[in-house]
Amino acid sequence: MSTLYHSPLCPLSRFIRLVLGEWGFEHEAVEERVWERRHDFLVLNPAGTVPVLVEDGLAVPGADLIVAYIEETRGQALDSPGLMPEGAARRVEVRRIADWFNRKFHEEVSGPLAHEKVMKRFMGRDQGGGSPDMISMRTARANIRYHLHYIGWLIGRRHWLAGDRISYADLAAAAHLSVCDYLGDVPWDEDEAAKLWYARIKSRPSFRLLLGERLRGVTPPVHYADLDF
């Protein structure tokens, strides 16, 4: 069986877990505390980051590479969930929006919030731990508002973020928002269309495992696992 090294509140790890769930890809999920910089893990991925998928002795590091690996090695072997549409223009749009969330949203919102509110609590001083940077957190909370409006704008013109069918774009956006939602930092009253889209996607079977998990010492708001929030 394949092994996925991940961190519970790492947005990119959550993206890949949703992707694997949609594909029905059997795997064992192993939590990796990346700040510990374990030797055996650094052998798998010298960058020391998650997610990393290991299959038949091959380590595939990073969300983009894992998606490409699954597409290339499985192809039609698995029941395709249609996460990548036909046509160059449609594929570009899926990749563009997925990249928006996996890069831009991660840098501006989900990455800083997870680092400041969670990871620093478990890291030693010599690892960069300590009190959260309040300026960084306030900036992330301000940034999330225009991202929500962007989601609302897209959904106002399409059924899903990149078109008529669910795609990697939706899974990327939902993964990052799920981290922020776990931390209670999503102002859902900011954009009703974005909220309704998220309610649809969090109701999918691939989301169940994420919604049921809890991080020791960090309790999500009541609405986090509520499908009718």
Side-chain angles (χ1 to χ4, degrees):
M1 179 179 290
S2 303
T3 300
L4 178 71
Y5 292 88
H6 74 103
S7 181
L9 287 184
C10 164
L12 296 173
S13 293
R14 286 189 161 218
F15 168 54
I16 291 302
R17 294 180 74 189
L18 290 175
V19 169
L20 296 182
E22 291 287 333
W23 274 97
F25 189 109
E26 293 188 6
H27 66 284
E28 177 187 7
V30 175
E31 181 178 348
E32 181 65 34
R33 299 166 71 94
V34 294
W35 55 87
E36 294 180 352
R37 299 189 63 78
R38 289 191 310 114
H39 175 267
D40 289 350
F41 180 68
L42 291 176
V43 170
L44 297 175
N45 181 18
T49 57
V50 288
V52 177
L53 180 69
V54 179
E55 184 173 60
D56 297 328
L58 174 66
V60 187
D64 291 343
L65 287 180
I66 293 173
V67 168
Y69 173 78
I70 293 172
E71 293 275 357
E72 291 176 3
T73 59
R74 295 311 193 270
Q76 300 303 315
L78 294 174
D79 292 331
S80 173
L83 295 175
M84 185 64 77
E86 296 294 334
R90 292 189 179 95
R91 287 173 177 263
V92 166
E93 183 66 350
V94 168
R95 292 188 175 109
R96 181 190 71 81
I97 296 174
D99 185 75
W100 173 287
F101 287 95
N102 285 340
R103 303 292 187 277
K104 186 175 178 63
F105 191 96
H106 190 214
E107 292 173 2
E108 297 180 353
V109 183
S110 56
L113 287 176
H115 180 74
E116 299 297 334
K117 297 187 73 172
V118 179
M119 291 184 66
K120 276 189 172 182
R121 297 177 55 173
F122 299 99
M123 298 164 65
R125 291 284 181 179
D126 60 329
Q127 298 168 324
S131 301
D133 183 335
M134 300 308 295
I135 294 177
S136 177
M137 289 172 57
R138 282 197 296 269
T139 300
R141 287 166 177 159
N143 288 339
I144 197 173
R145 297 180 182 276
Y146 81 82
H147 286 283
L148 282 175
H149 288 309
Y150 184 48
I151 290 173
W153 184 85
L154 289 171
I155 288 299
R157 290 155 178 77
R158 305 163 177 179
H159 188 60
W160 294 98
L161 293 187
D164 294 333
R165 298 166 61 184
I166 191 171
S167 70
Y168 292 116
D170 298 279
L171 301 184
H176 288 268
L177 277 174
S178 73
V179 171
C180 301
D181 197 35
Y182 188 101
L183 299 174
D185 287 316
V186 183
W188 289 116
D189 58 350
E190 191 76 16
D191 195 291
E192 184 68 14
K195 179 179 179 180
L196 292 174
W197 161 82
Y198 186 69
R200 269 196 291 145
I201 198 167
K202 74 185 285 191
S203 298
R204 296 180 70 84
S206 62
F207 234 98
R208 291 173 186 164
L209 186 59
L210 297 185
L211 294 178
E213 288 183 345
R214 296 294 181 269
L215 189 66
R216 181 172 55 85
V218 184
T219 303
V222 175
H223 73 261
Y224 172 73
D226 185 358
L227 301 183
D228 296 317
F229 77 114

